[in-house]
């Protein structure tokens, strides 16, 4: 009986999907960076790994949030700069302006509560332990007050086991 070797995903579809979903974050931030700012009641909760590669956070903020932090972009943010692979923004912490900069790859959650839109990314614990192409992303719609239950689209359903 011949052993069949499972096919190798040389296209790295999992990583391509994550990159595409992170593109949604970039597009939303590009709109927020326009002179008129974030439209309507939209606002963003962005959670990211503070020690991820490419993240720049002031030392006092890093001391307070050594692993992960969530920032809110709503009314008081300044100098939002959106680049193809990263963004930076000035926020006030204790009344003092601080600039945070991070690659989209460091973002673990992006949530707009005004429309109940959530992107969540599972980050590998250590790059050596879990290659980036094995990370998964889910799009979740938190439950509304009506009869609609939670809607989750998981990339796991498309994986060959």
């Amino acid at each position: 009986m011949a052993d069949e070797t499972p096919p190798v995903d040389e296209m790295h579809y999992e990583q391509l999907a994550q990159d595409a979903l992170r593109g949604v974050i970039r597009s939303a931030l590009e709109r927020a960076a326009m002179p008129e700012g974030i439209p309507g009641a939209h606002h963003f909760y962005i959670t990211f790994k503070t020690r991820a590669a490419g993240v720049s956070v002031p030392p006092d903020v890093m001391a307070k949030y050594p692993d992960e932090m969530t920032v809110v972009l709503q009314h008081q943010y300044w100098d939002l700069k959106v680049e193809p692979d990263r963004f930076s923004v000035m926020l006030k912490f204790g009344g003092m302006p601080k600039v945070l900069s991070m690659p989209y790859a460091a973002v673990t959650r992006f949530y707009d509560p005004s429309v109940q839109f959530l992107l969540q990314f599972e980050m590998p614990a250590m790059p050596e332990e879990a290659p980036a192409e094995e990370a998964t992303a889910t799009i979740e719609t938190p439950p509304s007050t009506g009869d609609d239950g939670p809607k989750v689209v998981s990339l796991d359903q498309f994986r060959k086991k």
Side-chain angles (χ1 to χ4, degrees):
M1 208 155 114
D3 287 332
E4 288 188 32
T5 305
V8 175
D9 179 11
E10 294 181 31
M11 293 296 294
H12 305 282
Y13 284 115
E14 291 290 331
Q15 187 61 47
L16 292 173
Q18 278 212 9
D19 292 345
L21 289 171
R22 285 193 165 96
V24 172
I25 299 170
R26 184 178 59 249
S27 294
L29 291 174
E30 285 171 345
R31 291 202 57 193
M34 291 181 175
E36 52 277 357
I38 301 173
H42 292 280
H43 55 289
F44 312 139
Y45 287 74
I46 303 170
T47 304
F48 64 97
K49 293 290 189 181
T50 55
R51 295 194 187 277
V55 172
S56 175
V57 176
D60 59 325
V61 176
M62 178 71 79
K64 202 170 180 182
Y65 303 97
D67 179 50
E68 190 173 76
M69 75 179 292
T70 300
V71 295
V72 179
L73 300 187
Q74 188 170 14
H75 301 298
Q76 295 189 3
Y77 63 93
W78 300 268
D79 298 329
L80 177 59
K81 292 181 179 76
V82 182
E83 298 175 37
D85 62 341
R86 64 185 305 104
F87 70 98
S88 63
V89 65
M90 181 187 296
L91 300 169
K92 286 190 178 179
F93 293 86
M96 298 297 297
K98 311 273 180 168
V99 175
L100 309 174
S101 177
M102 73 213 63
Y104 301 108
V107 175
T108 58
R109 274 175 65 109
F110 176 87
Y111 180 53
D112 182 342
S114 69
V115 292
Q116 302 292 299
F117 180 77
L118 173 68
L119 290 175
Q120 188 161 314
F121 301 90
E122 293 179 19
M123 304 291 290
M126 298 299 270
E128 306 82 41
E129 295 175 4
E133 62 266 19
E134 290 187 21
T136 60
T138 43
I139 301 174
E140 298 179 17
T141 304
S144 65
T145 55
D147 293 329
D148 295 335
K151 295 176 180 79
V152 177
V153 177
S154 174
L155 297 178
D156 291 337
Q157 67 189 347
F158 300 108
R159 275 196 195 145
K160 285 196 171 188
K161 303 253 176 182

